Amino acid sequence: RAGAEALDQDAALDVQGIPVVALAGTCMNAGKTAAACAIISRLRHAGLVVDAFKSTGVALRRDILAMEDAGARNTMIFSDFGVVCTTAKNGPAVTRTILTRLAAGRPDVIVFELGDGILGAYGVEAILRDPAIRGVLSCVVLSANDPVAAWGGVELLRKDFGIEPKVVTGPATDNQVGRDIIARRCGVAAINAISDSATIGDAVARSIGLEVQA
């Protein structure tokens, strides 16, 4: 499916007021996809229609297939537009294009994963610096491997991008000590997406103004 459509570098963005949840990480393998799937599953359990995509990385469909398994109705990935590896040059355009395309289907919420880390070569930083994209983010979830990474990621989001993360997850939250440190030092809820999947889904739902019934 690579190159099924051409990418418009000047693509406009219109999410039609639909809430957008973004998952960013401090590095690869920090638990972003697991968290995305936990959130999607919980929102679907509540009867909400969820569409999902992956905006950066290399062209493997594994992650969006996992999102489909979790209950996402429609999924997309950057390779649908001929991009086999994202960069700072094409990442924002891909993200704007997919957000607009999925929003046209009128889901209740859109969930997307930013592959790699906030600081990396795949274009995450450029996406978060795009004013149009940043303006439609309803909730940002940060995945981190340890409390130091969590602290650094939160500080980076706040100071460099003007983004306030709503939840920290990932291996940094695997134990109570890590969760307590993150909550105390960062002032952000720390929730493990594997052991507390319903809790993280509920927290995200509340942050975007959606109610989830147990």
Side-chain angles (χ1 to χ4, degrees), residues 115-159:
D116 194 19
I118 299 171
L119 300 179
Y122 288 134
V124 175
E125 189 172 357
I127 290 168
L128 294 178
R129 291 196 188 283
D130 186 293
I133 296 171
R134 199 166 60 244
V136 302
L137 298 180
S138 309
C139 173
V140 174
V141 176
L142 175 69
S143 292
N145 276 326
D146 60 75
V148 174
W151 180 87
V154 170
E155 287 292 295
L156 192 61
L157 288 171
R158 286 171 173 166
K159 294 182 177 179

Side-chain angles (χ1 to χ4, degrees), residues 8-26:
D8 177 6
Q9 287 288 348
D10 299 316
L13 174 59
D14 182 8
V15 298
Q16 304 182 43
I18 294 167
V20 176
V21 177
L23 291 104
T26 56

Side-chain angles (χ1 to χ4, degrees), residues 9 50 57 64 76 105 129 145 160 165 168 170-171 176 191 211:
Q9 287 288 348
V50 184
I64 63 167
M76 297 186 76
R129 291 196 188 283
N145 276 326
D160 281 34
V168 173
Q176 190 63 49
I191 307 171
E211 289 297 325

Side-chain angles (χ1 to χ4, degrees), residues 4 11 19 24 34 54 67 75 82 89 101 108 114 132 138 142 145 148-149 185 204-205 212-213:
K54 187 171 182 180
M67 294 174 190
T75 61
K89 182 178 179 180
R101 183 67 56 84
D108 294 308
L114 292 150
S138 309
L142 175 69
N145 276 326
V148 174
R185 296 297 298 267
V204 168
V212 174
Q213 299 298 322

Side-chain angles (χ1 to χ4, degrees), residues 183-205:
R184 183 174 69 251
R185 296 297 298 267
C186 302
V188 180
I191 307 171
N192 190 272
I194 303 299
S195 59
D196 295 303
S197 59
T199 303
I200 193 171
D202 292 350
V204 168

